[in-house]
Each structure stands twice: as structure tokens, then as C-alpha cells.
Amino acid sequence: EEEFVSPLIRVQEKKKQAQWMHKALEVKEEAFKEKMKVLTYQWRDLHTKDAQQKTSLEKSGRILKENDEIRIQALNKAIKEREGKMQKESELLRAKKELGPLRKKHQKLRNLVQKYSIFNKYLEDVVKISQFEEIQDVIWRCKTLMRIQKDLLQSQQSHKEMTEQAKVLLDQYTAEKEAEILQYQNELVELQLCFDQAQSDVLPWETRWTDIQNTAAEKTLRLGTIKMAILNLFQ
């Protein structure tokens, strides 16, 4: 979808840029034409003034020779007019230089629009066989799907990170519990050893206790016999 939508979006953007550049070029051309008209009129006026000045200088040559101040003023005026003429020519040259890159850029945009026109034709065919009414609806739909896909990818990535984090916590908890179980097992082994040792210690004491009980029983029986004998002797 990204490979398909990106050229479509670029086509629409390039078309908008081309239209904008075309309008800007038209405005520049109109301004250039107006400037050319003004420069042409000024150029004619300069030539007319130059011719008039030459005529006036020829007619008043003697007067100019006699009057240096008037001649200097006329020369200064001619110099200023020539400077203005050079300035106008410089402005005209600068306008031509500015117009050249604009025309190249406009041509480049036209070439790009022509290059991507196949996608525009494809979109027109899609509009014909689908429920969409305009090409822009298709582009909006594609953008919406791309945005949904991006959100799903982000959600999937977030879920994956949470799963990995939960797995890490589970591994830590499992390791802790295994360590506790191992500790309890060691303690159980120690307790079992203590119990076995206690049982091994109890057996001699039980034997001794049995001997004591047997000895006590014998002495009790002997004491009873002695008491009976004493009683018989007393009687």
C-alpha cells in the first residue's frame, strides 16, 4: 500500500505544485510583459530624448561652447539618462534570469506529472469500478488504511514490548522461586539428616529405657517378695 499510495500522493502533490508553478509563471510572464512594455516605452523615450538632445546639441553647439555650465548640465543629464538606461537593461537581464529557472522548474514539474500520469489513469479506472466518486476519496481511503495499519503496528509493537517485559519478569520470578525451592530442599535435606541422626540417637536411649524398665520391674518384684517374706515372718 505504501509503494502504491506514495506515488499517488506524489502525483497529486506534483500536480498541485505544477498548477501553482503554472499560475506563478503566468503571473511572472504578465509582470515581465508589463515590465517589457514599460522598458520599451522608456527605451523609446530615451532614444527620442537622445535624438532630441543630439539635435539640440547640434543646434546649440555654439551656445554650449560659450556657456560651459549649460554644457556640463547637459552632459550630466545625458550621463544620468545613460545610467538609467543601463539600470533598466540590468533589471531586464535579471528578470530574464529569474524567468529561466522558473520555466525549467515548470517543465520539470510537467515531466513529473506526465511520468506519474499512469497512476492517475489507474485511479480513474478504480473510481469507475468502485463505490468511490472521486480520486481524492480513494487517496483519503488509502491514507486512512495506512494510518490504521500504522496504529496497529504500533499497538502490536507495544504489546510485544509488554509481552517481553512480562516474560522477563516471569523469568525473574521463576528464578527467584527456584532459588527458594532449592533453599527449602537444602533445608529439608538438613532436617532429614537431623531427623535420621535423632532417630539413630533415640535407639540406644530406647534400649536403655527398656533395660531400666526391666530392672525396675525386677526390683519391684523383688521388693514385693521381700515385703511378703517380712510379712510372713512378722505373722
Side-chain angles (χ1 to χ4, degrees):
E1 286 180 351
E2 291 179 353
E3 293 178 357
F4 168 69
V5 174
S6 296
L8 301 180
I9 296 174
R10 286 198 297 271
V11 169
Q12 295 296 324
E13 292 177 351
K14 295 300 181 181
K15 287 179 70 176
K16 291 180 181 179
Q17 291 181 3
Q19 293 175 358
W20 180 81
M21 289 298 300
H22 183 69
K23 292 181 180 180
L25 187 60
E26 289 180 352
V27 172
K28 287 284 186 179
E29 287 180 350
E30 289 295 329
F32 180 76
K33 289 179 181 179
E34 293 295 328
K35 189 177 290 186
M36 286 295 295
K37 289 181 181 179
V38 173
L39 291 174
T40 302
Y41 293 149
Q42 292 178 352
W43 185 267
R44 290 177 181 176
D45 292 336
L46 288 174
H47 278 287
T48 302
K49 291 179 180 180
D50 193 17
Q52 292 176 356
Q53 185 179 2
K54 289 181 180 179
T55 304
S56 177
L57 288 173
E58 291 176 356
K59 290 181 179 179
S60 59
R62 295 179 182 177
I63 299 174
L64 290 175
K65 290 180 181 180
E66 295 175 357
N67 194 347
D68 293 335
E69 293 181 358
I70 297 175
R71 182 173 60 82
I72 293 171
Q73 291 177 359
L75 289 174
N76 291 333
K77 185 178 180 181
I79 291 171
K80 289 181 180 180
E81 289 178 353
R82 287 192 182 92
E83 289 178 352
K85 179 181 177 182
M86 292 176 65
Q87 185 177 0
K88 296 297 182 183
E89 290 177 351
S90 177
E91 291 178 358
L92 179 62
L93 183 61
R94 185 171 61 254
K96 288 181 178 180
K97 289 181 179 179
E98 292 177 355
L99 188 61
L102 288 175
R103 286 179 176 174
K104 290 181 180 179
K105 190 172 183 179
H106 180 259
Q107 185 63 35
K108 184 178 180 180
L109 291 174
R110 289 183 61 183
N111 293 335
L112 288 175
V113 171
Q114 186 176 3
K115 178 181 178 181
Y116 292 110
S117 61
I118 182 173
F119 297 103
N120 190 53
K121 180 64 170 59
Y122 176 76
L123 283 176
E124 291 177 353
D125 295 336
V126 171
V127 171
K128 290 180 182 178
I129 62 175
S130 64
Q131 74 275 13
F132 298 103
E133 296 181 356
E134 295 181 358
I135 294 176
Q136 191 63 37
D137 296 336
V138 179
I139 295 176
W140 286 342
R141 179 61 176 173
C142 291
K143 287 183 177 180
T144 302
L145 292 175
M146 289 177 66
R147 186 169 58 253
I148 293 173
Q149 183 186 16
K150 184 178 179 181
D151 294 339
L152 289 175
L153 290 174
Q154 291 179 351
S155 177
Q156 184 178 3
Q157 183 65 25
S158 178
H159 180 70
K160 183 179 179 181
E161 292 176 355
M162 292 177 63
T163 303
E164 291 178 354
Q165 186 176 3
K167 184 178 179 181
V168 172
L169 293 175
L170 179 61
D171 293 339
Q172 293 178 355
Y173 179 78
T174 304
E176 292 176 358
K177 292 304 176 183
E178 288 178 352
E180 290 180 2
I181 291 172
L182 183 60
Q183 183 179 358
Y184 290 150
Q185 288 178 349
N186 294 330
E187 292 178 357
L188 182 62
V189 171
E190 292 178 357
L191 291 173
Q192 184 67 35
L193 293 174
C194 292
F195 179 74
D196 294 339
Q197 183 67 34
Q199 282 186 339
S200 61
D201 294 338
V202 166
L203 185 60
W205 286 104
E206 287 180 347
T207 303
R208 187 174 179 182
W209 173 250
T210 302
D211 294 339
I212 292 171
Q213 286 181 341
N214 293 329
T215 303
E218 291 177 357
K219 289 183 178 183
T220 301
L221 181 60
R222 185 179 299 176
L223 180 62
T225 302
I226 292 171
K227 286 181 178 181
M228 289 297 295
I230 293 172
L231 180 62
N232 288 330
L233 289 176
F234 178 75
Q235 290 177 354

